[in-house]
C-alpha cells in the first residue's frame, strides 16, 4: 500500500514540476522581440540561469537560518556537487546596508539577509574581484513560498536591493517550500529532486536537534564555553557525514530493466526514499556526538526558568542582532531557551496541505456530480480525495519518524516536534486555522500548548516589525492570555533599533516567569524528605545524572528543569532506599 | 535619630533619576530626590550617592543595600554592586505594598509608558498582573509632552497648571511624537490657542495608551497615576479621569460605592518614587541575591574612562583632517548677504516674496533687475498674521530708515499659510512651495538636475530634466531628516543653532546613528550620552545621518546615477555647514567609483529660496501687465485682527459641526460704520477651522451658493470612488428566491427548518463597512436579499470617521495598519449604535481568504493576512473579558471564505447559514448565484462608466487620475478625501478596479505586446512582476501598466503604513508608470493621522505638474488614427 502511495506521490509531483517549468520558461520572453517595444515599458529583470556546467565555478551562498543550519545545509549541498557556502551571521551593519538598498516597507528579515549578502559581496570586491566576476561566480540560494505574507515576496526584494547596490543580474536561486518538485529555478545547475530535498531536510533536522540540545545544556554547564566547544566538534562531524554521503545508484542490471519498463525515474525515487528510511548513517553520527557531549559536566540544580521562543520563524531562530540577540540575552539572565525547530515549520506546511485538502472534501466529492446516479464519478471522486489524503498523512508520518529517530540518537530532554493536529485543535477557536500566511495558527497554538502542558514558564513571541499575520495573532493572544490562568506571554516586535527597550520588556515578563519557576522549585524542595545537601550528594555519587544526554522524566504540571530533576532524584533515592 | 543602615532605591529613567533611602528599622523614607539628568545618567547617580553620603557620613558602605531600576539602571547597577530590578516588577511591588486595593497602575515616564492591571485570582490571595509597556516607539510618552511644550514655549509652571476639562479638543495624533508635532503645527497656524493644543495632546496621549497598552483590558479601580507627567500635569490627570470614567460608563463596569468615580483615579503620594521604593521592596525579598554595594569608585571610573571603551560604533567626524576642513571652507565659504544701500529720498520699486513656513516666515524684496535687495526673517511665533506684519514691517523700516521710499509692484505668497495671507494682503498670487523653490533655483543656476530643499518641517526634492521638473519627492507625515530636529537637539545641548557647525566640526570621531524615525534618533542620543559621547561628537553624528534620512529614508533614492550631476542644496538647514558637509560627503560617496563627479552647489540665498521664488512670480505677473492688488506695506503694518472661537462660530451647515475660528481683520481705524456682521465696514472676516467649503461663509444663502457651485463642479468631474461607493451599499431590490415554507411538518428537522425560514424576514444582519466590503458588498447583499432578508434589515456600520474610530478603538490590543485597525471601531459601531437603534441578530464579517481575478498566469490570489484575520482579533477583543456578543444577543459570524473557488464559497456559505436560515442546498446555490450576478453587474457598470470617462478624456485631451489603491481605499475615512480634492481641481477619478477590460481597450493598450509575445494576454503581468501572490497587488500592477500605456491617465498610488503587500512593489509601480513617461505620484504611509497640510502641499504640487503635463500633451498630440476611431465606433 505504501509503495502505491509513494508511486502516486512521485507521479503527481513530477507532473507538477513539468507544468511549472513550462510556465516559467514561457512567461519570460526569450524569443525575438522588437527591442524598442520591449524597452518602451518597464520589465522585470531577466533572471540569469544557473547551468549545470557552472557548478564547479559558482559559489552558492546560503543564509537566513542559524549558522549551524546554514553550515549543515551547505555541507549537504556540497554532496550534490554544488560549491555551497554559508554566509557569516548577520549584524547591525548588514541591517543598515539592507535598509539602504531596500525601501521603508521591507520587513526585518529582508533587511538583515540581503544586507548581509551585499556586505559579503562588497568584501569580495575589496579582495579584488570585479562586479562581473562576482555575478558570474556567485549566486544566492534561498527558500521562497507562495503564501500571502512578505516571505513570498522576499526573493523580489533581494533582487531589487542587489540591483540598486550595483549587482544587477546577481542570481537569486529560489526553491519554494510548498511546491515540492514544482520549482522554477532557472537552468539545471540545481536539480530540484527528492535527493535535493532530502539532503536539505536531513541537514535541517540535524541542525534543529543539535541546536535544541545545546540550548538546553548551555545554561547549566559547569565549565563555561564547553558546550559551544563540543557543539563545534559535533557540527564538523555532521558536516562530514552530510558532505561525504555516498551517491545512490541503481544496480546496473535493475537499472536496465527499469529503463526498459519506462519506470527508471520512479524506481530511483523509491530507492532514494528507501535509503532514507533505512540508512543509519545520520543516526550513528548523532550517537557519536552524544558520546562527545557526555564529557560536558552539568549542574542540574541550576537554571530552572524555561522560556519558549515562538513567533515568526526567522525572528525566533536567528542568533544575531536580527532579534536583538535575544537568545544570548535570555541565557545571560539565567533562562533556558526552547527555540522552535525549523522542522515544526516543515511539518506545518505539510499539515496545511492536508487541512486545505480536507476542507475541500465536499467540493472534491461533488465534482462533476449533477445527478444521484453518477456512481462511477462518485467513486472516482472518493478515490481522488482519499489518495491525496493518505499520501499527505503518510508523508507527515514518515517525516516525524525521521525526526524522531535522530532525536532519540542524541538523547537528552529534547522533545519531539508537536503533532500539528493537536496544535490545530488548540488554536482554532481563537484563530481560524485556515488563515494563510506566516506561522498561521501556530503562534496561538504553541502558547496554549506550552502553557497547558507545563513545558515552559513563559512564552516569548518574536516577530519582525509590522509582520501581518503575527500582528493579528497577537490581537487574538490578548484573549488567550485572559482565558488561561497564570499564563505569561510576551510579544516583541524586532527591528534593528530599540534593543534596550526590547530587553527591558523581556525582563519585565521574565521576572514574572522567574517568580513562577521559583514557586515551582520551592514546592519541589518541600515535597522531598531529603535536604538539598542530601540530593546533591546522591547526584554526585551518580554522575550519569549530570550527563547532558540523561533523560529526566517530565512530571505532570512541572515545567522547570531543576524542579523536575528534584522530583526524579527524590524518586530514585526513595526507590534505592 | 540617624539610621544605622540604609536601603537605597535608585530609578534611572530616560529623562530623570529618582532615588529614595529607607531606614530598614522604621521602614520610613529618610531621604528622596528627583532630578532631570539631562542625559547624564551616571553623573546624576553619582551626585545622588555623594549627596546621601554627605547627609549620613557615619553610615559605612557595607551598611547600604542598593537596588536599581529603570531603563538606565540595567547598565549602571553592576558598577555599584547594586541589584537590578526591572521597573514594572518594582512598580508592582510598591503599588501592592502601599495600595493593596490597587486595580491599575498607569506610569508615564520620559520615553516609557506602562499600564499594569491587577486582577484577583480566584481561590488565591494573589493578584494576577497584566503588565504592558510601550515598545521602542516613544509615541504616547512624556517625551512628546516635553517636546511640544518646549515648541510652544510653555514654562514648566504653566505646563503643570494647564487644564483639560472644559477645553475644546482638536485632532492630534498620539501614536507618534513626530505626527503629533505635525498636527500641533497645523493647528497652531490656524490660531488654535495653546491651552487647547495641550489639552488635545493630553487627549491623544491618553487615547494612545488606552488603545494599545491596556491590550483590551478594562482599567480597574483604584487607578494610580505614576511618573513625572502624571504627577505634575493637572490637565493630563483630568484627561485620564475623563476617559477612564467614560470607559467604565460605556462598559457598565461595576464600581465601588463612591460619590465621584473620578476620585478612583489619582496620583498618590510619592507617585514619582514608586519604582525606586518597589526596587527595594522586591530586592529585599530575594534572599539569594549576592550583590553587595561596593561604593561609587567603579562608577566614577566608568564615568571618566571605562565608558569610552563601549564606543564600538565610532566613525570619523565630519572631517578627516585640518586640510579637509580648510578645503571645505574654501569650497563653501559662508557668504554674508549684503543688503542694498539706498539713497535718501530714493524711490525703490520692487516685488515682495513672502514665504510663511512651518517654523519661520521669510520675506525678500526683489528689484526690477530681479536682484535681492533686502531680506527679513522671523522665527514663527505662532500666528502667521503677526509674523507677516513683523517681516514686512521690517522690510519697510530697512528702506525708510535710510530715508528712501518703497513702491511695491507686486506681492506673492507661498508656504503653509499662503492662502489666508493672500486674502488678507490681497496678494497677487499664492504659489505652492515646491514651485517657488524650483523657480528660485533655476533663476540663479542654469544647469540644475536636482534641487534638495531641507526646511524646518518639510523636505522637498525636485528632479529636473532640461530645465523642467520631471518629478518630485516630499516627505509625507514623517519629519525624519528635517532641520528642526538638528536645531532642537542643539538647543537641548544648550548650543545656539548658529554654532552647530562650529561645535560639530571639533569632533574627531562620532557615533553612528541608525537613520530613520526622529524618535529613534532621540533615544539613540540618550544612549550615546550614557556611553560618554561628547556633545560635539553627537552633533557630528547627527549631521552625518541627516543625508541618509533625506535620500534613503524620505526620498528612497539609493541609486544616484539616474539623477544627473548638478545638485542644488537649499532651505534654511543649509545655513548649518555641518549639514552641508554631511550632504556633500554623502552625495559624493554615491558617485565614488563612477566616471563622473557631482557638482554640488549651496543656493546663495538658501534660507529664502521660497520667498525669492514667490517674488519672481510677482515679477512675472507684473511683467505680464497685471496691476498689483496688494494692500501695501503701510496698511499691512496697520492690520489689527481679533480671533473668536466659541459656540457662536460653530458651523451648522453639515453634520461635522466644525467649531470655526473667525479672524476679523481691520486695516487701520477710521471710524467706519458697523455692518450687519457687527464688523466695521473696513473689516474683513476670515474663517478658519472649517473642514469643508461650506463652512467658509456665515449666511445660509452664501452657503447654498457655495454648495451649488461645488455640486456643479463635482458633477461635471466624475469620481468613480464616490459613484461606486453609492452603488456598493444600496439595496439591490432582489426578489425573495428562497424556498416556500414547508406546509407539512413531518419531522423535528422540518419543524426547525420551518421556524428558521419564518424568522428570516425578521432577521437583522449587521455588516461592518470596512476592507473588502468596499468591493464585495453587492455579493453578500445579493445573497441575503435573495434569501428573503429584508433590505432594511441589512445594516452597515457608519462610514469611517475620526469620531467613529475614537469611540470604538479602546478595546484594541494591537497596532496593525489603519484599515485593519479600524475594523474594531466598526464592530463597536454595530454593537453599540446600530444594535441599540434596533437589535441586530447577526454580525457578518467574513474572512475572505482569496479572490477570483481577471488576471492570468498569477501565482496566487491571496488577500493580505492582516485583513483576513482582522475579524479574529476583533472577536477576541469582544470576547476577552466577557462575551459581549452573547450579552447583546448577537451571533458573530466571521465565516472563512474562498472566493477564488465559487463552489467552495457556496459550500462555506451553506455551512454557515444552513441552520440559522433553515437553508436548503438549492436555495443557497440560487442565493450565491444571485450574489455573483449582483457583483458582476456592479463591476460591469463601473467598467462601462470608466470607459465613458476615459473616452471623454481622450476626446477633450484631458487628464484623469487613476487611484492605485486597494478596495478599502475607497473608504473616505481611509483615503482622507485626497481624491475628492483632485476632483475639485477638475481631474476625473478612476480606480484600479474600475478600469475597463473590454477587448477594444485592452487590444489598444496591450495588443502590440501580446502579438510580439512579451505577454501572453492583456491581463498578464508576468513581464513586470514574478511572485504575483496578492490579488490586490496584482491588480495594482496591472492598473499601473494600463495607466502607463494610456496617454490621458496618470497614476496616484495610495498605500497605508505597515502595508506588507504594497511595500515590495513601490519601486516597481513607480518604474512601470514612469518608464513610459507618465507622471507617477503617491501618498504612502497613510494612517489614522490626517496630515492635511502635507496632503495639500502634495495635491497642489501635483496639480501644478499635471497642468504642465497636459499642456505638453496637447502640444505634442497627434490626431487619433482613423482606423482606431472606426474600430471604436464599431
Amino acid at each position: 500500500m505504501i509503495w502505491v502511495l509513494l508511486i502516486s506521490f512521485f507521479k503527481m509531483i513530477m507532473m507538477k514540476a513539468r507544468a511549472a517549468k513550462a510556465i516559467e520558461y514561457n512567461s519570460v520572453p526569450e524569443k525575438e522581440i522588437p527591442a524598442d517595444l520591449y524597452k518602451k515599458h518597464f520589465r522585470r529583470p531577466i533572471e540569469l540561469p544557473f547551468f549545470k556546467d557552472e557548478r564547479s565555478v559558482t559559489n552558492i551562498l546560503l543564509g537566513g537560518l542559524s549558522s549551524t543550519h546554514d553550515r549543515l545545509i551547505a555541507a549537504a549541498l556540497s554532496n550534490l556537487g554544488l560549491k555551497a557556502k554559508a554566509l557569516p551571521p548577520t549584524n547591525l551593519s548588514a541591517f543598515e546596508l539592507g535598509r539602504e538598498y531596500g525601501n521603508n516597507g521591507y520587513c526585518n528579515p529582508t533587511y538583515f539577509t540581503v544586507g548581509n549578502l551585499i556586505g559579503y559581496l562588497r568584501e569580495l570586491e575589496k579582495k579584488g574581484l570585479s562586479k562581473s566576476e562576482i555575478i558570474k561566480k556567485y549566486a544566492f540560494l534561498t527558500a521562497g513560498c507562495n503564501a500571502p505574507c512578505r516571505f513570498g515576496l522576499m526573493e523580489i526584494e533581494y533582487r531589487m536591493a542587489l540591483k540598486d547596490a550595483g549587482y544587477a543580474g546577481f542570481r537569486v536561486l529560489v526553491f519554494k517550500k510548498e511546491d515540492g518538485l514544482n520549482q522554477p529555478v532557472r537552468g539545471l545547475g540545481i536539480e530540484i529532486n527528492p535527493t535535493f530535498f532530502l539532503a536539505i531536510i536531513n541537514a535541517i533536522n540535524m541542525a534543529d536537534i543539535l541546536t535544541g540540545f545545546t540550548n538546553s545544556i548551555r545554561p547549566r554547564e559547569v565549565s563555561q564555553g564547553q558546550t559551544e566547544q563540543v557543539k563545534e566538534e559535533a557540527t564538523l562531524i555532521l558536516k562530514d557525514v552530510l558532505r561525504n554521503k555516498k551517491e545512490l545508484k541503481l544496480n546496473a542490471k535493475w537499472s536496465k530493466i527499469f529503463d526498459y519498463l519506462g519506470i527508471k525515474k520512479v524506481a530511483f525515487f523509491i530507492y532514494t526514499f528507501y535509503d532514507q528510511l533505512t540508512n543509519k548513517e545520520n543516526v550513528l553520527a548523532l550517537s557519536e556526538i552524544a558520546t562527545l557531549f557526555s564529557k560536558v559536566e552539568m549542574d542540574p540544580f541550576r537554571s530552572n526558568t524555561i522560556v519558549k521562543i515562538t513567533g515568526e520563524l526567522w525572528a525566533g531562530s536567528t542568533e544575531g542582532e536580527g532579534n536583538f540577540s535575544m537568545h544570548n540575552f535570555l541565557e545571560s539572565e539565567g533562562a533556558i531557551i526552547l527555540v522552535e525547530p525549523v522542522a515544526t515549520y516543515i511539518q506545518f506546511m505539510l499539515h496545511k496541505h492536508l487541512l486545505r485538502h480536507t476542507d475541500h472534501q465536499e467540493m472534491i466529492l461533488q465534482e462533476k456530480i449533477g445527478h444521484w446516479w453518477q456512481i462511477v464519478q462518485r467513486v472516482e471522486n472518493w478515490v481522488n480525495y482519499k489518495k491525496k489524503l493518505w499520501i499527505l498523512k503518510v508523508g507527515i508520518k514518515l517525516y516525524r519518524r525521521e525526526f524522531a529517530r535522530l532525536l532519540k540518537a542524541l538523547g537528552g530532554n529534547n522533545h519531539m516536534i508537536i503533532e500539528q493536529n493537536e496544535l490545530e485543535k488548540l488554536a482554532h477557536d481563537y484563530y481560524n486555522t485556515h488563515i494563510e500566511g506566516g506561522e498561521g495558527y501556530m503562534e496561538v497554538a504553541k502558547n496554549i500548548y506550552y502553557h497547558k502542558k507545563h513545558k515552559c514558564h513563559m512564552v516569548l513571541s518574536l516577530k519582525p516589525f509590522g509582520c501581518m499575520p503575527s500582528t493579528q495573532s497577537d490581537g487574538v493572544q490578548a484573549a488567550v492570555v485572559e482565558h488561561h490562568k497564570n499564563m505569561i506571554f510576551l510579544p516583541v516586535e524586532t527591528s534593528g533599533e530599540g534593543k534596550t527597550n526590547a530587553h527591558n520588556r523581556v525582563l519585565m515578563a521574565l521576572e514574572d516567569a522567574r517568580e513562577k519557576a521559583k514557586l515551582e522549585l520551592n514546592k519541589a524542595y518541600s515535597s522531598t524528605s531529603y535536604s538539598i545537601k542530601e540530593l546533591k550528594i546522591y547526584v554526585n555519587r551518580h554522575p550519569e545524572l549530570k550527563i547532558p544526554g540523561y533523560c529526566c522524566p517530565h512530571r505532570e504540571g512541572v515545567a522547570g528543569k531543576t524542579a523536575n530533576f528534584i522530583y526524579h532524584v527524590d524518586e530514585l533515592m526513595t526507590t534505592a532506599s | 535619630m540617624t539610621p544605622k543602615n540604609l536601603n537605597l532605591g535608585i530609578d534611572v529613567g530616560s529623562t530623570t533619576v529618582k532615588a529614595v533611602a529607607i531606614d530598614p528599622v522604621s521602614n520610613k523614607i529618610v531621604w528622596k530626590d528627583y532630578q532631570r539628568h539631562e542625559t547624564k545618567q551616571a553623573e546624576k547617580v553619582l551626585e545622588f550617592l555623594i549627596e546621601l553620603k554627605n547627609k549620613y557620613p557615619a553610615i559605612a558602605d557595607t551598611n547600604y543595600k542598593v537596588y536599581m531600576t529603570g531603563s538606565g539602571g540595567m547598565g549602571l547597577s553592576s558598577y555599584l554592586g547594586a541589584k537590578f530590578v526591572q521597573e514594572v516588577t518594582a512598580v508592582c511591588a510598591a503599588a501592592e505594598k502601599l495600595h493593596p486595593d490597587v486595580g491599575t497602575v498607569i506610569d508615564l515616564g520620559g520615553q516609557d509608558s506602562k499600564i499594569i492591571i491587577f486582577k484577583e485570582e480566584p481561590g488565591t490571595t494573589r493578584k494576577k498582573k497584566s503588565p504592558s509597556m510601550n515598545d521602542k516607539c516613544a509615541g504616547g510618552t512624556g517625551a512628546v509632552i516635553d517636546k511640544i511644550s518646549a515648541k510652544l514655549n510653555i514654562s514648566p509652571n504653566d505646563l503643570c497648571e494647564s487644564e483639560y476639562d472644559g477645553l475644546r479638543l482638536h485632532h492630534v495624533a498620539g501614536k507618534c511624537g513626530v505626527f503629533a508635532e505635525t498636527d500641533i503645527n497645523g493647528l497652531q497656524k490656524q490660531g488654535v490657542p495653546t491651552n487647547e493644543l495641550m489639552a488635545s495632546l493630553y487627549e491623544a496621549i491618553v487615547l494612545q495608551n488606552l488603545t494599545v497598552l491596556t491590550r483590551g483590558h478594562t482599567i480597574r479601580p483604584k487607578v494610580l497615576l505614576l511618573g513625572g507627567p502624571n504627577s505634575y500635569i493637572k490637565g493630563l490627570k483630568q484627561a485620564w479621569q475623563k476617559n477612564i470614567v467614560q470607559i467604565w460608563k460605556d462598559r457598565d463596569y461595576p464600581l465601588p460605592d463612591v460619590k465621584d468615580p473620578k476620585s478612583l483615579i489619582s496620583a498618590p503620594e510619592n507617585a514619582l518614587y514608586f519604582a525606586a521604593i518597589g526596587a527595594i521592596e522586591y530586592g529585599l525579598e530575594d534572599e539569594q541575591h549576592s550583590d553587595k554595594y561596593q561604593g561609587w569608585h567603579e562608577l566614577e571610573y566608568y564615568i571618566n574612562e571605562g565608558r569610552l571603551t563601549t564606543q564600538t560604533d565610532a566613525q570619523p567626524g565630519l572631517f578627516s583632517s585640518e586640510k579637509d576642513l580648510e578645503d571645505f571652507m574654501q569650497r563653501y565659504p559662508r557668504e554674508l548677504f549684503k543688503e542694498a544701500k539706498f539713497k535718501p529720498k530714493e524711490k525703490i520699486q520692487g516685488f515682495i516674496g513672502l514665504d510663511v513656513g512651518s517654523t519661520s516666515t521669510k520675506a525678500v524684496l526683489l528689484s526690477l533687475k530681479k536682484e535681492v535687495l533686502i531680506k527679513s526673517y522671523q522665527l514663527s511665533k505662532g500666528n502667521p498674521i503677526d509674523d507677516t506684519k513683523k517681516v514686512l514691517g521690517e522690510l519697510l523700516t530697512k528702506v525708510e530708515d535710510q530715508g528712501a521710499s518703497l513702491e511695491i509692484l507686486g506681492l506673492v505668497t507661498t508656504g503653509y499659510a499662503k492662502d489666508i495671507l493672500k486674502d488678507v494682503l490681497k496678494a497677487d498670487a499664492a504659489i505652492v512651495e515646491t514651485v517657488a523653490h524650483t523657480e528660485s533655483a533655476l533663476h540663479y543656476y542654469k544647469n540644475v538636475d536636482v534641487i534638495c530643499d531641507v526646511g524646518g518641517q518639510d523636505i522637498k526634492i525636485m528632479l529636473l530634466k532640461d530645465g523642467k521638473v520631471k518629478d518630485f519627492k516630499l516627505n509625507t507625515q514623517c519629519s525624519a531628516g528635517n532641520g528642526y530636529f538638528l536645531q532642537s537637539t542643539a538647543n537641548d545641548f544648550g548650543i545656539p543653532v548658529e554654532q552647530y557647525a562650529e561645535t560639530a566640526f571639533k569632533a574627531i570621531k562620532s557615533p553612528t546613528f541608525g537613520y530613520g524615525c526622529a524618535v529613534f534618533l532621540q533615544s539613540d542620543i540618550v544612549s550615546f550620552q550614557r556611553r560618554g559621547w561628547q556633545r560635539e561628537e553627537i552633533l557630528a553624528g547627527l549631521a552625518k545621518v541627516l543625508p541618509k534620512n533625506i535620500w534613503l529614508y524620505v526620498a528612497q533614492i539609493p541609486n544616484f546615477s539616474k539623477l544627473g550631476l548638478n545638485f542644488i542644496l537649499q532651505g534654511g538647514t543649509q545655513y548649518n555647514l555641518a549639514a552641508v558637509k554631511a550632504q556633500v560627503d554623502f552625495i559624493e560617496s554615491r558617485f565614488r567609483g563612477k566616471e563622473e563627479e557631482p557638482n554640488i552647489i549651496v543656493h546663495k540665498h538658501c534660507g529664502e529660496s521660497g520667498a525669492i521664488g514667490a517674488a519672481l512670480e510677482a515679477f512675472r505677473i507684473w511683467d505680464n501687465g497685471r496691476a498689483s492688488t496688494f494692500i501695501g506695506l503701510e496698511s499691512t503694518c496697520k492690520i489689527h485682527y481679533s480671533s473668536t472661537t466659541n459656540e457662536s462660530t460653530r458651523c451648522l451647515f453639515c453634520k461635522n459641526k466644525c467649531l470655526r475660528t473667525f479672524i476679523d481683520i481691520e486695516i487701520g481705524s477710521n471710524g467706519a460704520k458697523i455692518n450687519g456682521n457687527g464688523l466695521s465696514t473696513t473689516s474683513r472676516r476670515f474663517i478658519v477651522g472649517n473642514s469643508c467649503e461650506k463652512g467658509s461663509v456665515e449666511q445660509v444663502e452664501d452657503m447654498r451658493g457655495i454648495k451649488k457651485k461645488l455640486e456643479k463642479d463635482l458633477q461635471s468631474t466624475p469620481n468613480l470612488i464616490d459613484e461606486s461607493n453609492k452603488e456598493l451599499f444600496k439595496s439591490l431590490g432582489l426578489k425573495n428566491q428562497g424556498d416556500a415554507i414547508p406546509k407539512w411538518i413531518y419531522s423535528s428537522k422540518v419543524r426547525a427548518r420551518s421556524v428558521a425560514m419564518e424568522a428570516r424576514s425578521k432577521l437583522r444582519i449587521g455588516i461592518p463597512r470596512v476592507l473588502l466590503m468596499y468591493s464585495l458588498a453587492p455579493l453578500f447583499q445579493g445573497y441575503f436579499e435573495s434569501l428573503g432578508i429584508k433590505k432594511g434589515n441589512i445594516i452597515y456600520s457608519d462610514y469611517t470617521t475620526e469620531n467613529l474610530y475614537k469611540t470604538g478603538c479602546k478595546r484594541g490590543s494591537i497596532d496593525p495598519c489603519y484599515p485593519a485597525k479600524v475594523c474594531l471601531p466598526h464592530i463597536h459601531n454595530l454593537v453599540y449604535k446600530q444594535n441599540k437603534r434596533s437589535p441586530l441578530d447577526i454580525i457578518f464579517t467574513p474572512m475572505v481568504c482569496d479572490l477570483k481575478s481577471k488576471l492570468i498566469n498569477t501565482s496566487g490570489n491571496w488577500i493580505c493576512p492582516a485583513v483576513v484575520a482582522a475579524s479574529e482579533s476583533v472577536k477576541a477583543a469582544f470576547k476577552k473579558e466577557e462575551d459581549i456578543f452573547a450579552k447583546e444577543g448577537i451571533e458573530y459570524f466571521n465565516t472563512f471564505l474562498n472566493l477564488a473557488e465559487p463552489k467552495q464559497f457556496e459550500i462555506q456559505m451553506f455551512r454557515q447559514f444552513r441552520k440559522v436560515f433553515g437553508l436548503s442546498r438549492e436555495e443557497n446555490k440560487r442565493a450565491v448565484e444571485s450574489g455573483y450576478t449582483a457583483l458582476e453587474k456592479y463591476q460591469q457598470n463601473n467598467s462601462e462608466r470608466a470607459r465613458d470617462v476615459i473616452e471623454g478624456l481622450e476626446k477633450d485631451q484631458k487628464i484623469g487620475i487613476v487611484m492605485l489603491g486597494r478596495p478599502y481605499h475607497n473608504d473616505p475615512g481611509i483615503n482622507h478625501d485626497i481624491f475628492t480634492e483632485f476632483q475639485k481641481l477638475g481631474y476625473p477619478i478612476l480606480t484600479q478596479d474600475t478600469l475597463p477590460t473590454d477587448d477594444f481597450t485592452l487590444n489598444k493598450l496591450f495588443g502590440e505586446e501580446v502579438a510580439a509575445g512579451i505577454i501572453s494576454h492583456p491581463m498578464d503581468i508576468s513581464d513586470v512582476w514574478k511572485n504575483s501572490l496578492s490579488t490586490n497587488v496584482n491588480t495594482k500592477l496591472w492598473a499601473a501598466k494600463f495607466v502607463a500605456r494610456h496617454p490621458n491617465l496618470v497614476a496616484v498610488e495610495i498605500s497605508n503604513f505597515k502595508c506588507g503587500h504594497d511595500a515590495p512593489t513601490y519601486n516597481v509601480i513607480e518604474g512601470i508608470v514612469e518608464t513610459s513617461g507618465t507622471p507617477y505620484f503617491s501618498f504612502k504611509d497613510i494612517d489614522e493621522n490626517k496630515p492635511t497640510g502635507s496632503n495639500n502641499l502634495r495635491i497642489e504640487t501635483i496639480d501644478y505638474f499635471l497642468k504642465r503635463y497636459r499642456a505638453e500633451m496637447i502640444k505634442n498630440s497627434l490626431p487619433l488614427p482613423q482606423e482606431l476611431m472606426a474600430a471604436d465606433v464599431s
Side-chain angles (χ1 to χ4, degrees), chain B residues 630-659:
Chain B
F630 174 47
I631 59 170
L633 288 175
E634 284 176 5
S635 298
T636 304
C637 295
K638 288 178 190 161
I639 288 176
H640 297 284
Y641 74 95
S642 62
S643 77
T644 318
T645 312
N646 56 33
E647 279 310 308
S648 72
T649 65
R650 190 181 288 282
C651 172
L652 302 172
F653 297 146
C654 78
K655 61 180 180 182
N656 287 344
K657 294 193 172 59
C658 296
L659 191 59

Side-chain angles (χ1 to χ4, degrees), chain A residues 11 13-23 181-183 265:
Chain A
K11 272 188 178 169
I13 51 184
M14 279 174 70
M15 278 169 68
K16 276 180 87 180
R18 277 196 290 273
K21 274 180 187 154
I23 289 170
L181 300 185
N182 176 11
Q183 299 292 332
K265 271 193 173 175

Side-chain angles (χ1 to χ4, degrees), chain A residues 315-511:
Chain A
S317 58
T318 191
E319 288 165 339
E321 290 292 334
N323 62 9
F324 304 123
S325 302
M326 200 57 84
H327 298 181
N328 285 344
F329 174 72
L330 285 165
E331 285 189 0
S332 72
E333 287 293 328
I336 294 174
I337 52 168
L338 302 179
V339 179
E340 196 59 53
V342 181
T344 308
Y345 194 79
I346 296 172
Q347 201 194 204
F348 166 70
M349 301 297 293
L350 291 168
H351 189 76
K352 282 294 278 185
H353 270 294
L354 186 71
L355 203 58
R356 277 181 221 125
H357 186 63
T358 50
D359 191 46
H360 283 69
Q361 179 183 4
E362 206 176 328
M363 192 173 128
I364 298 166
L365 295 180
Q366 281 179 18
E367 207 171 341
K368 295 181 197 163
I369 301 286
H371 306 285
W372 65 267
W373 60 79
Q374 288 171 289
I375 305 296
V376 177
Q377 184 63 48
R378 282 178 196 276
V379 171
E380 199 179 307
N381 288 353
W382 184 86
V383 170
N384 281 341
Y385 174 73
K386 288 289 180 188
K387 195 167 79 179
K388 190 171 177 188
L389 183 76
W390 290 333
I391 288 169
L392 286 165
K393 282 189 170 178
V394 168
I396 291 169
K397 279 210 182 308
L398 292 180
Y399 182 72
R400 289 180 61 79
R401 183 235 183 219
E402 284 305 285
F403 191 86
R405 67 183 187 132
L406 295 175
L407 191 75
K408 197 177 160 196
L410 190 57
N413 269 90
N414 263 4
H415 67 81
M416 181 58 190
I417 44 174
I418 313 161
E419 282 265 18
Q420 290 291 323
N421 275 330
E422 189 170 358
L423 291 179
E424 189 204 327
K425 275 178 204 150
L426 288 171
H428 191 74
D429 280 348
Y430 289 101
Y431 190 91
N432 191 304
T433 45
H434 290 101
I435 299 171
E436 300 285 344
E439 278 58 31
Y441 57 82
M442 283 206 296
E443 289 189 41
V444 171
K446 282 187 220 164
N447 189 19
I448 301 174
Y449 177 89
Y450 277 84
H451 174 77
K452 275 192 167 174
K453 301 265 178 185
H454 299 278
K455 299 266 186 189
C456 71
H457 297 102
M458 129 183 191
V459 173
L460 173 64
S461 177
L462 298 171
K463 64 265 329 267
F465 174 74
C467 181
M468 297 174 285
S470 257
T471 307
Q472 293 296 1
S473 183
D474 282 348
V476 168
Q477 299 275 25
V480 172
V481 174
E482 185 72 18
H483 297 163
H484 292 84
K485 199 179 150 188
N486 215 10
M487 176 184 266
I488 303 174
F489 169 77
L490 179 75
V492 170
E493 282 196 334
T494 64
S495 72
E497 298 125 340
K499 186 174 176 176
T500 312
N501 181 291
H503 283 181
N504 197 15
R505 289 176 63 222
V506 170
L507 210 51
M508 167 184 85
L510 189 62
E511 294 275 18

Side-chain angles (χ1 to χ4, degrees), chain A residues 99-100 148 155 482 495, chain B residues 119 136 515 590 1026 1061:
Chain A
R99 285 216 313 170
E100 193 171 331
E155 168 205 351
E482 185 72 18
S495 72
Chain B
K119 270 186 190 173
K136 63 194 173 184
Y515 68 89
R590 309 309 280 186
K1026 187 181 174 189
H1061 273 197

Side-chain angles (χ1 to χ4, degrees), chain A residues 159-213:
Chain A
R159 284 207 175 89
M160 290 196 287
L162 283 159
K163 184 174 158 254
D164 279 338
Y167 302 101
F170 187 85
R171 287 164 295 182
V172 177
L173 310 172
V174 181
F175 65 93
K176 294 197 175 175
K177 297 174 308 176
E178 64 281 80
D179 281 356
L181 300 185
N182 176 11
Q183 299 292 332
V185 176
R186 302 202 63 218
L188 288 169
I190 298 178
E191 285 175 76
I192 308 293
N193 53 27
T195 317
F196 172 84
F197 269 112
L198 289 175
I200 289 187
I201 282 173
N202 283 329
I204 288 175
N205 286 352
M206 287 198 272
D208 275 345
I209 289 164
L210 180 63
T211 310
F213 185 78

Side-chain angles (χ1 to χ4, degrees), chain A residues 267-337:
Chain A
F268 184 72
F269 286 143
I270 294 168
Y271 179 44
T272 310
F273 272 82
Y274 174 77
D275 175 73
Q276 173 69 29
L277 296 173
T278 55
N279 195 325
K280 290 189 175 157
E281 241 178 341
N282 299 343
V283 173
L284 290 173
L286 282 164
S287 302
E288 186 191 337
I289 288 167
T291 319
L292 276 182
F293 272 110
S294 62
K295 66 186 176 195
V296 178
E297 192 190 345
M298 293 215 314
D299 176 0
F301 291 93
R302 197 200 292 168
S303 293
N304 192 47
T305 313
I306 309 210
V307 179
K308 170 68 192 170
I309 296 176
T310 63
E312 190 268 342
L313 177 71
W314 184 86
S317 58
T318 191
E319 288 165 339
E321 290 292 334
N323 62 9
F324 304 123
S325 302
M326 200 57 84
H327 298 181
N328 285 344
F329 174 72
L330 285 165
E331 285 189 0
S332 72
E333 287 293 328
I336 294 174
I337 52 168

Side-chain angles (χ1 to χ4, degrees), chain B residues 280-337:
Chain B
I280 300 175
E281 271 307 308
Y282 185 84
L284 284 172
E285 278 178 21
D286 185 5
E287 322 82 42
Q288 287 176 0
H289 132 66
S290 55
D291 301 313
K292 287 226 167 71
Y293 178 55
Q294 60 203 29
W296 61 68
H297 308 293
E298 265 196 51
L299 183 68
E300 229 172 2
Y301 172 78
Y302 168 74
I303 290 168
N304 297 328
E305 290 173 49
R307 65 183 168 189
L308 298 177
T309 60
T310 64
Q311 296 173 359
T312 50
D313 43 8
Q315 58 173 341
L318 286 163
F319 295 96
S320 55
S321 63
E322 282 292 319
K323 188 172 178 310
D324 189 13
L325 176 60
E326 274 169 33
D327 289 350
F328 174 77
M329 296 308 278
Q330 264 183 6
R331 207 172 139 196
Y332 296 97
R334 180 168 278 181
E335 285 177 33
L336 288 176
F337 172 66

